[in-house]
Amino acid sequence: MPWFIWLLAAAALGAAEFFTLTLVFGLLAGAALVAAVVAGVGIGLLGQLVALGLAAVAGLVVVRPVALRAMEQQPLVREGSDALIGKRAEVMQEVTATRGLIKLSGEEWSARALDESLVIPVGALVDVMEIDGATAVVYPRELLP
């Protein structure tokens, strides 16, 4: 089979991978590229099919599981305001469902309570549950009186 047929097959499989994001079609496209190289060197159809099969099996059995495991892992480093989630802070000004002020990582942040029924007093320790714009959404570390 001519090498350009393998290239067309690789392009079609690459396009299918673009729409499915399964890592299957992309690895098969890579195997088709290997078959195109083998065809370009002048090896016959049987050699091309063997190269296609070996590359496809290697990709699907070896590369795909490793790639899927790597994609499942959460990034180890959180940056920006995401790094503040889970930190402890101290209430500087009473925190309610709509307003408040906390000291978080040495800076003063506007804050609001996660539970809208809570009023968190000055001096209480809170955990940052999320960052909403420039406002920390917090929850008390201990039960309030």
Side-chain angles (χ1 to χ4, degrees):
M1 190 176 332
W3 60 270
F4 62 87
I5 300 287
W6 289 115
L7 285 181
L8 289 174
L13 289 166
E17 176 64 34
F18 178 76
F19 289 109
T20 62
L21 299 176
T22 60
L23 294 178
V24 173
F25 292 116
L27 292 170
L28 292 176
L33 287 175
V34 169
V37 169
V38 169
V41 170
I43 298 177
L45 181 61
L46 181 61
Q48 295 170 27
L49 292 175
V50 168
L52 175 75
L54 289 176
V57 168
L60 295 174
V61 172
V62 177
V63 175
R64 187 170 188 265
V66 171
L68 288 176
R69 247 182 277 125
M71 288 190 324
E72 287 175 2
Q73 292 178 349
Q74 294 291 328
L76 297 176
V77 177
R78 291 190 287 178
E79 298 176 347
S81 61
D82 287 341
L84 299 173
I85 296 172
K87 296 267 187 182
R88 183 187 322 187
E90 182 181 352
V91 176
M92 305 298 288
Q93 187 181 71
E94 185 177 79
V95 176
T96 66
T98 56
R99 63 180 177 79
L101 191 66
I102 61 170
K103 187 164 200 149
L104 173 62
S105 295
E107 299 176 342
E108 291 185 356
W109 277 72
S110 59
R112 65 179 171 85
L114 179 65
D115 184 348
E116 295 180 1
S117 65
L118 288 178
V119 175
I120 306 170
V122 173
L125 295 178
V126 293
D127 287 322
V128 177
M129 306 307 282
E130 64 183 85
I131 300 292
D132 183 18
T135 302
V137 180
V138 298
Y139 195 78
R141 290 185 68 86
E142 299 173 0
L143 292 176
L144 298 174

